[in-house]
Amino acid sequence: MTIDKTYQPSEVEGRIYRTWEQAGAFRAGRPERAGAKPYSIVIPPPNVTGSLHMGHALNNTLQDILCRFERMRGKDVLWQPGTDHAGIATQMVVERQLMERQEKGRREMGREAFLKRVWEWKAESGGTIVNQLKRLGASCDWSRERFTMDEGLSRAVLKVFVELHRAGLIYKDKRLVNWDPKLLTAISDLEVIQVETKGHLWHLRYPIEGKSFNPDDRSTFIVVATTRPETMLGDAAVAVHPDDERYKILVGKNAILPLVGRKIPIIADEYSDPKKGSGAVKITPAHDFNDFEVGKRHNLLQVNIFTVEAKLQLKDNADFVAGIPNSADLDATLAMNGTDRFAARKAILARLEEKGLVEKIEPQSHVVPHGDRSNVVIEPFLTDQWYVNAKELAKPAIAAVRAGKTKFIPKNWEKTYFDWMENIQPWCISRQLWWGHQIPAWYGLDNKVFVALTEAEAQTDADKHYGKKTKLTRDEDVLDTWFSSALWPFSTLGWPDNTPELKRYYPTSALVTGFDIIFFWVARMMMMGLHFMKEIPFHDVYIHALVRDASGAKMSKSKGNVIDPLALIDEYGADALRFTLAAMAAQGRDIKLSTQRVEGYRNFATKLWNAARFAEMNGCASVANFDPKSAKETLNRWIAHETAKAATEITEAIEAYRFNDAAAAVYRFVWNIYCDWYLELAKPLLTGADGAAKGETQAMVAWGRDEILKLLQPFMPFITEELWTVTGKHDALLALDKWPQLAGLSDDKAEAEIGWVIDLVTAIRSVRAEMNITAAIPLVLAGASAETKARAERWAEFIKRLARVSDISSAATPPQGSVQLVVRGETAALPLKGVIDVAAERARLGKEMQKADADIGRVDAKLNNPNFMARAAEEVVEEEKQKREEAVARKAKIAEALERLKGAT
């Protein structure tokens, strides 16, 4: 089969992926690997509503590199795929569809009919992201694809809930949650976005009990500062710092809550910061997370003043009116019942102003939590929800990481994990949605709860409890999506059944994920895995960084800087995108992605393609059972040495999760060593007369190409599989072939010879480029050893052609007016007298050095300026740091050039 002139990814990638699928290349448990060591990874399940974004592209590229690498190393690889039911997102998609089609809404059609529509939507549109992952080249075992609400996983979820409830580790409690007043559900911290908002800080006067309020007499009131005056109706105390001398006399007394008349104690608590606002803060336990904790410490009232839609709920609110005397003020406040929170804010402030109870108003920028899907302001809301006792479950999960059973890479993420786990709060697991795992809890007429796997079991328990047949009502709430995801490493393998897959692939080998879900997913998988499997869920956790735009800014639709991975695949091919992401995936460093980088690696793919075509045109075909150790030619022994060296570097880097180092090593070997040097140096042998040397070189070129395809397969699977197919007959697909095992090919003698030629030519080319020399120049080997002289003679034609050298000679010392190069400990001189003006060149380089110093100084002045660092956007700071790096590198090259000129006069 002849290699096409150009590589067209769009014509190849789909066909190659179908070939892999038809061959079952990615299936775990292949018969020939029954005795092989298992290697398993569970995919972070993307939302079923999702479409591939750049974070997915990075995450799945890195997982795929690991899986393809280990598969080629002969392991029995399971990359477990699946999708998440994405409670809120999916429910919103279907509700929007109903609205667009002008059909009945969710509540009008009822729960059963609505859920039927969601399942219909899932069947029609839920596989989008799976097909997009295939376009990326993800080598998952798709025959084992799971869904967090499939029958098996739903059974696992119910069993976990029931068992944890029986163990006292799941319970119902009234606590504050993030409440979305538009979607009418509790949401997780991950679903909350903090929005910088220009607002105000209102300083309000609360009268002291027993004193007649006088705005001119500060002893008659205490000033509290707040950004949310509407919540004052639920105030239960005023807090001051115990060491704040201004307020010590007031601690233990009461303030009278304006507009309400409720007596609220003035308490001492370290939560109050004497340097902020007035130093006194209103405490509203039912509407602020910090105040909730203060309230628990001081046994304060919890007065919820809002409905689920964030409207005032004052009438028939026993907690609100408890102990408050009737008054005109209270009547006017009760008349506000049903008012929206922001309208209530305006009305409350107007009444306070009228009574002289507003001391001052200050403009203030502050972050306000918003729902990431509803885009409305989130309310801390006091409500009954189901909770997991995360503190208890966290203990073995903390111990496992401390003992090194599970390792974080990079290691610094362990601190983040410990900080959160050691201060963990109860985990709210109930959501006020319809789409999701409905909580297996039923209530009797007296609200007694019965938790069971089935309604029949709950009914049996209830009948036994009440001594008669009793009507039960099921809890309408569903479980947090993260609850089912926490079981992912073992539920996907068949748990609660003791399946062969569970025995073979659990615990999994590695997890690849982003830092933002260490708390929401990684930690919870650790807790659940250790509790139910009595074993860690994974040995290694690799935490990758963010993909940002070229300037370092975080990608967002509002900024208009989102880069679509599918568009890049369309334009440059999946291999180019994959290699870009791998090459830039340095541990702990965000990726600054530009289309130019992707285009550059598309050129790399073209370079590989053209090298394969060159080999084909020169009769270089794979030779069955070829042994590179049999090579006689120095050049061929050298490429065998370099191939083995590259294979070791790449292997070690992938094993250590240094994806960028692995990509850099394979890139350097393919582009520089194999294409630029080996093929160039091999040309005379390949185009010369037939003979043993030519035949050996043809076989070695083909062998080197095949080893390159193997080494590149994890990074660029499509082009390598295509070249593997068209360049020869092989027993297996490249994806299932063996990873290079190249022991015994090290050859220091060959490396010393060819390496010297390469280093010499490279050094001469550098001088030419630095000093803008276009003419051919002589080369003098000064005080050279006999071995070096012999090498120069053997490779003279190459040195002359590749370095544009007119003549090669030897001398005891370097000629006057020459630039001296030290190549592997020996001196090579380039006589430049009459070729360049050395003094002028020295002066030019001196000016360039001054410019580089000035550039470094200018950047340092900015980076060392606290005002600049405080005001500048993150991407601007990154850009300045990049400028500094470039200037430092430029200065180093100038210094090197100046050093070379020292010998020239």
Side-chain angles (χ1 to χ4, degrees):
M1 196 181 294
T2 305
I3 304 175
D4 290 341
K5 186 175 181 181
T6 56
Y7 176 61
Q8 300 291 347
S10 59
E11 295 174 11
V12 169
E13 291 175 353
R15 170 169 51 78
I16 289 291
Y17 203 93
R18 286 191 294 275
T19 301
W20 288 327
E21 287 202 291
Q22 287 160 10
F26 309 144
R27 285 198 174 220
R30 294 174 64 87
E32 74 274 13
R33 302 198 180 197
K37 186 178 178 184
Y39 182 87
S40 55
I41 285 183
V42 290
I43 196 171
N47 287 350
V48 70
T49 56
S51 186
L52 193 76
H53 58 60
M54 203 55 79
H56 290 134
L58 171 64
N59 179 267
N60 287 281
T61 292
L62 300 183
Q63 289 176 84
D64 196 46
I65 288 169
L66 293 171
C67 289
R68 288 179 181 273
F69 170 67
E70 296 295 1
R71 198 178 284 118
M72 292 182 75
R73 294 217 289 181
K75 291 182 183 175
D76 175 19
V77 173
L78 168 61
W79 185 7
Q80 175 63 56
T83 51
D84 190 282
H85 65 276
I88 292 177
T90 306
Q91 186 163 309
M92 284 182 70
V93 165
V94 178
E95 287 195 84
R96 192 180 303 122
Q97 189 182 78
L98 293 172
M99 186 174 65
E100 288 168 356
R101 295 177 181 179
Q102 296 184 335
E103 297 182 53
K104 285 181 181 178
R106 169 169 66 100
R107 297 199 179 276
E108 292 140 304
M109 67 166 50
R111 185 170 194 144
E112 188 177 337
F114 177 74
L115 291 178
K116 184 171 180 285
R117 286 296 294 267
V118 181
W119 280 108
E120 287 171 1
W121 174 89
K122 195 260 179 188
E124 291 170 13
S125 309
T128 299
I129 197 160
V130 167
N131 293 323
Q132 292 169 342
L133 287 169
K134 290 180 179 181
R135 287 197 64 194
L136 186 68
S139 62
C140 301
D141 183 350
W142 297 109
S143 69
R144 294 186 50 81
E145 184 184 345
R146 302 303 298 267
F147 178 54
T148 48
M149 279 184 62
D150 68 30
E151 187 180 348
L153 268 64
S154 295
R155 191 158 59 95
V157 166
L158 293 179
K159 183 173 175 64
V160 165
F161 187 96
V162 171
E163 289 198 8
L164 288 178
H165 182 266
R166 286 174 181 164
L169 293 168
I170 281 182
Y171 56 94
K172 204 161 189 184
D173 195 9
K174 188 183 284 287
R175 294 178 60 90
L176 280 188
V177 296
N178 295 312
W179 184 262
D180 190 312
K182 182 178 179 181
L183 300 179
L184 305 183
T185 181
I187 60 174
S188 71
D189 289 345
L190 195 64
E191 294 159 318
V192 176
I193 52 173
Q194 302 296 340
V195 178
E196 185 75 26
T197 306
K198 288 183 178 178
H200 296 89
L201 186 66
W202 286 274
H203 293 250
L204 309 179
R205 296 164 174 155
Y206 282 17
I208 304 296
E209 182 188 21
K211 298 207 173 185
S212 179
F213 171 69
N214 179 353
D216 297 321
D217 182 357
R218 302 192 71 81
S219 71
T220 65
F221 59 87
I222 185 169
V223 176
V224 299
T226 180
T227 58
R228 301 174 67 220
E230 66 276 12
T231 63
M232 65 167 290
L233 302 182
D235 283 0
V238 172
V240 298
H241 195 278
D243 297 332
D244 193 332
E245 293 293 337
R246 294 172 296 174
Y247 299 119
K248 277 190 174 180
I249 195 172
L250 294 178
V251 173
K253 295 183 178 181
N254 293 324
I256 303 298
L257 185 62
L259 312 187
V260 176
R262 181 185 303 125
K263 290 181 185 179
I264 56 175
I266 299 170
I267 60 174
D269 194 282
E270 291 185 349
Y271 167 62
S272 179
D273 185 346
K275 295 176 183 176
K276 282 188 178 178
S278 65
V281 290
K282 58 192 279 303
I283 301 299
T284 320
H287 295 287
D288 183 279
F289 288 101
N290 291 315
D291 292 5
F292 181 78
E293 296 301 325
V294 175
K296 284 203 299 183
R297 288 196 289 273
H298 296 271
N299 197 28
L300 299 176
L301 288 170
Q302 296 177 342
V303 184
N304 186 357
I305 60 165
F306 288 137
T307 67
V308 292
E309 294 170 324
K311 294 178 180 179
L312 290 182
Q313 182 174 269
L314 307 178
K315 285 184 179 175
D316 303 321
N317 184 338
D319 291 334
F320 176 72
V321 297
I324 302 175
N326 290 326
S327 69
D329 268 348
L330 179 60
D331 290 342
T333 299
L334 289 170
M336 295 171 65
N337 188 67
T339 305
D340 176 78
R341 55 185 165 164
F342 297 119
R345 176 183 294 182
K346 290 180 181 177
I348 287 168
L349 287 169
R351 290 177 63 196
L352 291 171
E353 287 268 18
E354 189 182 325
K355 294 177 179 296
L357 294 171
V358 178
E359 178 155 297
K360 63 178 177 176
I361 306 169
E362 295 176 319
Q364 178 164 309
S365 291
H366 59 123
V367 290
V368 177
H370 285 65
D372 68 341
R373 297 192 183 278
S374 65
N375 203 32
V376 301
V377 175
I378 295 304
E379 277 296 333
F381 192 64
L382 190 63
T383 178
D384 288 311
Q385 301 285 348
W386 288 94
Y387 289 89
V388 171
N389 183 347
K391 194 173 188 67
E392 192 61 33
L393 289 174
K395 290 174 183 175
I398 293 169
V401 176
R402 289 216 184 276
K405 292 177 182 177
T406 293
K407 296 175 183 174
F408 279 79
I409 302 107
K411 191 175 174 62
N412 61 287
W413 287 111
E414 287 182 8
K415 183 179 185 302
T416 304
Y417 174 83
F418 289 135
D419 285 349
W420 191 72
M421 292 289 267
E422 287 165 356
N423 297 284
I424 200 164
Q425 296 294 311
W427 172 18
C428 176
I429 56 170
S430 45
R431 297 290 181 267
Q432 290 63 55
L433 303 169
W434 284 359
W435 174 244
H437 298 100
Q438 192 170 357
I439 290 172
W442 287 262
Y443 300 94
L445 295 175
D446 59 354
N447 234 22
K448 165 82 176 162
V449 65
F450 299 91
V451 171
L453 288 172
T454 65
E455 185 172 5
E457 287 181 29
Q459 189 69 60
T460 300
D461 292 344
D463 294 348
K464 185 178 178 182
H465 174 76
Y466 292 113
K468 62 179 180 178
K469 186 78 173 174
T470 305
K471 185 183 178 186
L472 296 180
T473 304
R474 187 167 184 177
D475 196 313
E476 289 196 350
D477 290 354
V478 299
L479 288 164
D480 176 15
T481 301
W482 294 105
F483 190 85
S484 49
S485 298
L487 321 182
W488 193 247
F490 55 93
S491 63
T492 52
L493 297 175
W495 189 92
D497 297 332
N498 195 18
T499 62
E501 291 85 357
L502 194 62
K503 291 176 183 175
R504 181 155 178 77
Y505 300 111
Y506 189 94
T508 63
S509 308
L511 179 75
V512 178
T513 190
F515 65 87
D516 53 339
I517 54 174
I518 290 175
F519 316 138
F520 298 96
W521 194 42
V522 179
R524 288 163 181 173
M525 284 190 287
M526 287 289 289
M527 290 189 248
M528 294 299 193
L530 283 160
H531 186 82
F532 287 97
M533 297 297 296
K534 310 304 177 191
E535 180 64 276
I536 54 168
F538 22 71
H539 293 287
D540 294 341
V541 179
Y542 176 77
I543 303 293
H544 61 70
L546 281 176
V547 184
R548 297 175 176 269
D549 72 7
S551 64
K554 192 172 181 178
M555 291 187 197
S556 72
K557 290 178 183 176
S558 61
K559 289 181 182 177
N561 65 343
V562 173
I563 302 173
D564 180 4
L566 296 170
L568 293 179
I569 290 173
D570 288 339
E571 188 166 359
Y572 303 111
D575 287 329
L577 173 61
R578 289 169 59 106
F579 200 89
T580 303
L581 294 170
M584 301 181 78
Q587 290 184 9
R589 188 185 308 162
D590 286 348
I591 292 172
K592 291 194 278 189
L593 185 68
S594 69
T595 53
Q596 289 81 2
R597 288 296 293 264
V598 184
E599 185 178 6
Y601 289 119
R602 193 271 312 274
N603 295 340
F604 175 54
T606 301
K607 181 95 170 177
L608 173 66
W609 189 263
N610 289 339
R613 288 187 69 237
F614 171 84
E616 181 184 66
M617 289 186 288
N618 284 279
C620 305
S622 302
V623 175
N625 302 316
F626 175 73
D627 184 0
K629 292 176 188 158
S630 66
K632 302 290 190 294
E633 294 293 317
T634 302
L635 178 63
N636 292 330
R637 289 189 287 109
W638 169 76
I639 196 60
H641 167 93
E642 290 293 337
T643 306
K645 179 182 169 188
T648 299
E649 289 177 5
I650 296 160
T651 300
E652 289 176 353
I654 297 176
E655 286 177 335
Y657 301 95
R658 291 184 287 106
F659 298 100
N660 61 314
D661 290 340
V666 72
Y667 181 93
R668 186 169 56 247
F669 174 66
V670 174
W671 191 295
N672 301 116
I673 302 296
Y674 184 82
C675 294
D676 284 357
W677 291 110
Y678 178 59
L679 295 184
E680 189 65 40
L681 294 172
K683 279 178 182 176
L685 286 166
L686 294 173
T687 57
D690 290 348
K694 180 175 181 177
E696 175 187 292
T697 303
Q698 288 173 321
M700 187 59 85
V701 167
W703 175 84
R705 176 204 61 211
D706 288 349
E707 296 307 297
I708 281 170
L709 297 181
K710 294 174 189 176
L711 293 170
L712 258 178
Q713 158 69 195
F715 302 90
M716 306 179 92
F718 292 107
I719 189 172
T720 53
E721 192 73 70
E722 177 72 355
L723 286 172
W724 184 257
T725 303
V726 300
T727 56
K729 293 180 180 178
H730 301 283
D731 295 333
L733 288 166
L734 178 59
L736 293 172
D737 209 85
K738 292 181 179 176
W739 185 253
Q741 298 286 334
L742 304 177
L745 292 179
S746 181
D747 193 320
D748 293 339
K749 188 175 179 184
E751 194 285 324
E753 176 143 333
I754 306 300
W756 177 82
V757 173
I758 291 171
D759 289 354
L760 177 64
V761 171
T762 302
I764 296 170
R765 285 175 172 175
S766 293
V767 171
R768 284 183 160 286
E770 287 162 7
M771 301 182 185
N772 199 25
I773 299 169
T774 55
I777 50 177
L779 168 65
V780 177
L781 302 174
S785 64
E787 188 177 17
T788 297
K789 289 177 185 177
R791 279 180 192 154
E793 192 174 332
R794 282 194 293 275
W795 296 95
E797 292 309 310
F798 289 100
I799 295 168
K800 287 177 181 179
R801 178 165 58 87
L802 298 176
R804 293 205 64 206
V805 167
S806 57
D807 176 66
I808 302 175
S809 61
S810 298
T813 58
Q816 274 197 328
S818 63
V819 169
Q820 296 174 35
L821 310 171
V822 177
V823 179
R824 300 208 172 191
E826 299 202 37
T827 303
L830 301 174
L832 297 180
K833 195 170 184 179
V835 178
I836 64 164
D837 183 333
V838 173
E841 181 62 18
R842 194 177 284 121
R844 183 187 72 80
L845 290 170
K847 286 180 181 176
E848 288 294 320
M849 180 67 85
Q850 289 173 359
K851 187 174 183 302
D853 282 332
D855 289 344
I856 293 168
R858 191 160 41 247
V859 174
D860 283 348
K862 287 183 179 180
L863 297 180
N864 293 328
N865 182 339
N867 290 333
F868 172 80
M869 295 299 286
R871 290 195 321 269
E874 189 179 352
E875 57 265 31
V876 173
V877 173
E878 282 300 313
E879 192 177 337
E880 291 298 324
K881 288 179 179 177
Q882 185 69 35
K883 285 181 187 173
R884 191 184 193 284
E885 284 179 22
E886 289 168 1
V888 168
R890 195 166 74 246
K891 180 178 176 179
K893 291 197 81 169
I894 295 166
E896 197 178 311
L898 283 167
E899 187 65 29
R900 288 193 185 121
L901 281 175
K902 281 184 177 177
T905 55

